[in-house]
Amino acid sequence: METVPYDKRSGKIWFNAKLVDWKNANVHLLNHGLHYASCVFEGERVYDGEIFKLEEHTERLFHSAKRMGINIPYTQDEINKASKEIILIQKVKNGYVRPVVWRGSEMMAISAQKNKIHVAIATWEWGSYFDPKLKLKGIKLNISSWRRPAPNSVPWDTKAAGLYMICTLSKHEAESKGFTDSLMLDHEGNIAEATGANIFFKDKSGTLHTPTPDSFLDGITRRCVIEIAKSKGVKIIERKIKPNEMSEFIGCFLTGTAAEITPVSQIDKYRFEVCNLIKDLSQSYQNLVRKKAAA
Ligand code: PMP
């Protein structure tokens, strides 16, 4: 089934505090966001008509903007209200929300001190990020030839558009070789994350290991899954993990707003089982996002 391109859909988009027809939610091609990656965004999921962890996402949007020297001309409260309003207007029950903030067109060179800050929030019905069949069996990752940049070279703890350049390059490289996603190492060669999700491993004793997020995003899902695992008495170690340690791990999964909990069956030459702990964490996460009583 062919999906309708994102610029050809219908309904409304919240655009600088106005509800604009989807087809009119346009920018001029000379804008600083497009040319110089003066842009930050969020990715949120709607479950049963409610945005999961909306306040945390809005807070991160403001944090990302601040790190980019962008002053959002609304309060967090206004953005939260607008996000709730647009999912109601679009009648999204189970979907995705994309707030985006960018510098406009007043200046078009490196300096952009006078550029107007624009904010939009779009939402649409949406299902699984990875193919649902693959998601059950576990997805396969290669190891990217691109590394996460050193923390003193980018605002690494943000969802700034520029950080995604190497993610798209990595993902395309992986897909062209028959993998679903790509594992990225950090600037020192430690395991960092996938192209849009954090990573966890399970060892033989049932302990989970996850990289310390000191040069990449400490995902909202990552933190949530750590809480769930701790509440089940599962031990979690956050530390530097070298790629060759993967031979010792028996399970692996990704976490992210889009990915939710996605088991991984293979990374490069390393194989993993979709073990009961991963299935159990995934079920608990689904119960939490849909506010069902713990299974
Ligand atoms: N890393 C990257 C690069 C991402 O794009 C995402 C998705 N936002 C994540 C990790 C996971 O973050 P979260 O759980 O907050 O969605």
Side-chain angles (χ1 to χ4, degrees), residues 190-223:
N190 303 297
I191 290 175
E193 58 172 350
T195 61
N198 293 115
I199 193 160
F200 287 75
F201 297 97
K202 192 189 96 162
D203 71 14
K204 290 188 186 79
S205 73
T207 297
L208 294 178
H209 301 252
T210 190
T212 313
D214 56 5
S215 65
F216 56 89
L217 206 64
D218 179 7
I220 292 170
T221 320
R222 176 186 182 278
R223 294 201 296 267

Side-chain angles (χ1 to χ4, degrees), residues 182-196:
S182 199
L183 173 69
M184 302 184 77
L185 307 182
D186 72 8
H187 63 292
E188 291 170 325
N190 303 297
I191 290 175
E193 58 172 350
T195 61

Side-chain angles (χ1 to χ4, degrees), residues 18-226:
K18 292 197 176 78
L19 293 172
V20 173
D21 276 343
W22 197 286
K23 63 178 187 313
N24 296 331
N26 299 318
V27 292
H28 194 275
L29 64 88
L30 293 173
N31 79 79
H32 211 269
L34 181 64
H35 293 240
Y36 298 97
S38 272
C39 173
V40 297
F41 66 99
E42 266 307 316
E44 303 159 7
R45 261 196 195 266
V46 183
Y47 294 98
D48 299 334
E50 250 185 73
I51 304 171
F52 183 62
K53 299 214 180 273
L54 169 63
E55 287 75 15
E56 282 92 328
H57 283 282
T58 302
E59 206 176 314
R60 187 167 69 188
L61 181 72
F62 278 69
H63 170 75
S64 298
K66 193 164 170 231
R67 288 274 271 145
M68 294 281 287
I70 291 174
N71 194 4
I72 298 180
Y74 304 99
T75 63
Q76 292 196 27
D77 207 32
E78 284 167 330
I79 295 300
N80 286 333
K81 283 200 183 110
S83 307
K84 289 180 187 165
E85 185 190 356
I86 198 68
I87 65 159
L88 279 181
I89 288 169
Q90 286 299 96
K91 300 190 176 59
V92 172
K93 285 275 169 278
N94 290 287
Y96 193 74
V97 186
R98 167 56 56 88
V100 58
V101 178
W102 68 100
R103 288 194 172 101
S105 304
E106 287 72 14
M107 294 172 78
M108 274 303 289
I110 305 293
S111 179
Q113 308 276 8
K114 299 205 172 101
N115 290 37
K116 184 179 168 192
I117 305 304
H118 299 267
V119 184
I121 310 169
T123 183
W124 54 89
E125 277 291 320
W126 199 53
S128 186
Y129 180 58
F130 296 113
D131 175 341
K133 277 192 218 117
L134 284 181
K135 207 173 157 183
L136 283 177
K137 283 199 302 189
I139 60 166
K140 294 181 173 43
L141 275 60
N142 70 343
I143 298 180
S144 176
S145 50
W146 297 98
R147 289 192 174 185
R148 301 306 308 170
N152 61 358
S153 60
V154 283
W156 55 274
D157 58 338
T158 68
K159 278 184 79 76
L163 295 175
Y164 286 84
M165 179 177 70
I166 49 174
C167 299
T168 299
L169 281 167
S170 302
K171 181 109 177 170
H172 283 183
E173 187 192 8
E175 286 173 342
S176 72
K177 292 178 178 163
F179 296 93
T180 299
D181 204 351
S182 199
L183 173 69
M184 302 184 77
L185 307 182
D186 72 8
H187 63 292
E188 291 170 325
N190 303 297
I191 290 175
E193 58 172 350
T195 61
N198 293 115
I199 193 160
F200 287 75
F201 297 97
K202 192 189 96 162
D203 71 14
K204 290 188 186 79
S205 73
T207 297
L208 294 178
H209 301 252
T210 190
T212 313
D214 56 5
S215 65
F216 56 89
L217 206 64
D218 179 7
I220 292 170
T221 320
R222 176 186 182 278
R223 294 201 296 267
C224 182
V225 168
I226 289 176

